[in-house]
Amino acid sequence: MRGKYKNKKLIKDNGNDEINTEKSFIEVPVEVYEKDIRTRAAIRRAITPIVIFGLILFVGVFLIIYGAKPSLFRDKSFVPTQATIVKYEWRYNPPSYFGSSYHPSHWSPHPVFNYVYDGKEYTVESRVAVYPIPYEVGEKITIYVNPSNPTDVVSPIADQMYIYIGIGIIVASVLALCILALYPILKAKYPTSHWHKFLTLYIPSMIFLWGIVILYCVSSSGFSKDNIEAIILLVFLIAVAGFISTIMIKDMIMTIRDYVKQKASGHNKKS
């Protein structure tokens, strides 16, 4: 048996509570005492990753908002102006690499705005490509014009690149928080259980892996015989995600099956 101290509470005659400086020694089982120590140590170790990946998570959220609503971050001196979508200019984008991801060559549409500011007419092509096309040709939208340079405009069109990067950062930071912070705490508090491993390790890992596959498919402009490298990379990502997911799901099923058998055998012994 191990023990820990607990303050005594005494009640005076006048009804006021007072904490006595004397402490009583309460005996607890060794297992409970050691588990409490491990849990506290795990919580202390988790503070650093919680702070770091919490800040990274905030950056991901900011990037999504910045990409989805660029007009929110315009300079306050920019003037709202009605503009008309006159056409879409299709620009060729050569093949490129973003980290280890290969992006095949593709064509992307850039909207062209026509508007009048300070008595002069301007036609400006957006720096941001859009896909799918959010506005029809001839549709009017509100843009924000820089008074010192009327060809410098901010439109409400979302920048998909920032959105994709933000989603990737959020998914990765949540996975890191589950593995580096939440999983050790739950493992120390419930050392004989398996459900915390499923919730904080297996399921987030599968979401992360298949999220990469989905994000790659969405960010790619399409797969064809000309983009054989893109197809090979997609097959590889699906194979890796499928293989790891199969192992995790199999382990989950076997663990749940063993748990059900133990419960059933314990119930039979009692009866």
Side-chain angles (χ1 to χ4, degrees), residues 8 37 107 128 130 135 138 173 194 203-204 208 211 236:
K8 285 183 178 179
I37 295 297
W107 293 81
V128 178
V130 293
Y135 302 104
S173 59
H194 296 278
I203 295 178
F208 177 75
F236 174 75

Side-chain angles (χ1 to χ4, degrees), residues 125-229:
E125 179 182 326
S126 173
R127 296 186 297 268
V128 178
V130 293
Y131 189 83
I133 294 175
Y135 302 104
E136 299 291 336
V137 173
E139 189 172 350
K140 295 183 179 297
I141 64 172
T142 299
I143 63 173
Y144 298 86
V145 180
N146 185 356
S148 60
N149 181 13
T151 60
D152 181 18
V153 300
V154 175
S155 73
I157 295 176
D159 194 333
Q160 309 250 338
M161 182 185 69
Y162 287 105
I163 296 176
Y164 294 152
I165 294 175
I167 292 174
I169 290 175
I170 289 176
V171 174
S173 59
V174 170
L175 177 65
L177 284 172
C178 289
I179 295 176
L180 300 178
L182 188 58
Y183 175 69
I185 294 174
L186 294 177
K187 184 178 180 181
K189 190 171 181 61
Y190 306 100
T192 60
S193 300
H194 296 278
W195 60 269
H196 59 270
K197 179 173 66 175
F198 302 155
L199 294 178
T200 61
L201 185 60
Y202 285 4
I203 295 178
S205 298
M206 287 189 288
I207 293 175
F208 177 75
L209 291 171
W210 288 106
I212 292 177
V213 175
I214 295 172
L215 193 62
Y216 179 76
C217 293
V218 172
S219 60
S220 299
S221 58
F223 302 95
S224 62
K225 294 180 180 179
D226 298 330
N227 298 328
I228 188 66
E229 294 182 5

Side-chain angles (χ1 to χ4, degrees), residues 263-271:
K263 283 290 185 180
S265 61
H267 180 72
N268 293 333
K269 289 180 180 180
K270 290 182 180 180
S271 59

